[in-house]
Amino acid sequence: MKINVMTLFPEIFESYLGESMMKKAIENKILDVSLYNIRDFSENKHKKVDDYPFGGGAGMVMTPQPIYSTYKQILKENNLENIRVVYLSPKGKTFNQEMAKSLAKEDNLVFLCGHYEGIDQRVIDMIVTDEVSIGDYVLTGGELPALVMIDSISRLIPGVLNRTESYEDESFENDLLEYPQYTRPRNFEGLEVPEVILSGNHGKVAEWRLRQSEILTEKRRPDMWEVYSSRKLEEEKLKKRKKRKKKK
Ligand code: ADE
């Protein structure tokens, strides 16, 4: 996957992408990230990228020209006529695991990071395909949200994690939060690992984990619990219907 980032602060990305899983994915050529400094594309003699908002108001607005020129350059360098452009903004659709999965299927993506009070709406209308927020709070810029998205999307690309099982059991799969995990030592400061985990009985372990996931989800995420429990109910009804049919 090729990820192109449009930002005024490319250095923010360098440190995060230079560590751990991201670094490995890039080294193994599973992921390729190109950083574009929007300021480099400003046609203003002082390389200005923002201006006062028409109609008044607090703060500065990013001007359309440098952003549009950066976008054109990305198209040119990737030999593309159009590309999916994600604009990070608190006004966007809220990011979730389903969106991460859908974006992980793309070969080429652009992340547009805004700063100041926002971006001139005309360039958003011209190039943005997805306006995305990472949650109901306001940050100073789109760089952290872009990194959050890049991280969660990349780990879904085959080959980035070691085993497919690594994410089959985790939170948000099957509308459940993940069960608690334990490792050595068996006794830590007087706290024992739950007996069933040590039993070696895979069926019992799976049953216990599912129950823990259910308890946690019901307590913490009533929104997810509603989806999960109605799905489970439907599945049980279907099973009963099939059983009755067999008997006949
Ligand atoms: N920019 C500022 N706040 C943001 C948020 N919550 N999500 C995405 N982009 C943002």
Side-chain angles (χ1 to χ4, degrees):
M1 177 188 253
K2 172 78 186 289
I3 290 177
N4 307 278
V5 182
M6 300 165 74
T7 171
L8 290 171
F9 302 98
E11 296 83 5
I12 292 176
F13 292 84
E14 278 160 13
S15 76
Y16 192 79
L17 297 174
E19 300 287 343
S20 183
M21 306 297 268
M22 294 286 119
K23 181 182 175 182
K24 262 195 227 150
I26 294 167
E27 280 174 357
N28 294 336
K29 307 216 182 302
I30 298 169
L31 184 67
D32 182 10
V33 182
S34 288
L35 303 171
Y36 292 84
N37 190 336
I38 296 168
R39 195 175 298 280
D40 293 343
F41 295 85
S42 172
E43 286 167 8
N44 175 278
K45 62 172 181 267
H46 305 295
K47 294 277 170 206
K48 230 170 95 99
V49 291
D50 61 339
D51 215 323
Y52 294 99
F54 280 132
M60 303 290 270
V61 176
M62 286 174 75
T63 55
Q65 178 275 314
I67 292 170
Y68 191 63
S69 299
T70 314
Y71 168 77
K72 285 284 188 194
Q73 182 66 21
I74 293 172
L75 287 183
K76 198 171 139 192
E77 283 181 21
N78 288 282
N79 253 320
L80 292 169
E81 283 183 6
N82 49 56
I83 191 165
R84 206 155 164 190
V85 178
V86 178
Y87 168 44
L88 291 312
S89 133
K91 288 193 282 189
K93 194 172 165 200
T94 311
F95 187 54
N96 59 22
Q97 192 67 17
E98 199 185 316
M99 229 189 268
K101 279 186 187 167
S102 146
L103 289 165
K105 291 186 187 128
E106 299 283 335
D107 294 327
N108 232 305
L109 276 177
V110 177
F111 287 90
L112 169 59
C113 307
H115 249 265
Y116 314 120
E117 288 308 305
I119 294 179
D120 187 293
Q121 188 62 38
R122 290 165 295 179
V123 76
I124 296 173
D125 296 341
M126 284 167 89
I127 70 168
V128 171
T129 55
D130 306 73
E131 189 163 338
V132 182
S133 162
I134 60 158
D136 290 344
Y137 40 83
V138 181
L139 299 161
T140 56
E143 283 74 16
L144 279 175
L147 276 173
V148 166
M149 287 186 69
I150 292 168
D151 187 301
S152 65
I153 291 165
S154 319
R155 61 192 290 288
L156 297 175
I157 304 169
V160 172
L161 294 188
N162 297 330
R163 301 179 304 147
T164 44
E165 301 98 278
S166 302
Y167 56 83
E168 273 166 6
D169 269 356
E170 71 191 10
S171 294
F172 309 114
E173 293 296 321
N174 311 314
D175 302 301
L176 285 174
L177 297 177
E178 193 184 357
Y179 49 79
Q181 298 274 20
Y182 298 89
T183 184
R184 271 187 273 253
R186 286 165 78 131
N187 182 311
F188 178 67
E189 301 273 332
L191 295 174
E192 292 278 354
V193 171
E195 197 59 44
V196 58
I197 289 292
L198 309 168
S199 69
N201 182 330
H202 295 304
K204 281 262 183 296
V205 171
E207 204 177 285
W208 180 84
R209 285 179 165 167
L210 176 62
R211 190 63 207 126
Q212 295 305 308
S213 280
E214 289 176 343
I215 291 166
L216 209 59
T217 309
E218 183 174 18
K219 201 157 64 178
R220 292 193 186 159
R221 293 292 301 267
D223 55 327
M224 284 170 71
W225 182 247
E226 206 174 304
V227 177
Y228 173 79
S229 39
S230 52
R231 183 164 54 81
K232 207 171 152 183
L233 211 69
E234 279 307 309
E235 280 169 7
E236 271 160 20
K237 268 193 217 160
L238 210 72
K239 245 192 235 164
K240 272 187 194 157
R241 226 177 285 153
K242 271 188 187 159
K243 246 190 194 168
R244 251 183 274 139
K245 252 192 187 165
K246 251 190 184 170
K247 269 188 186 167
K248 277 180 192 169

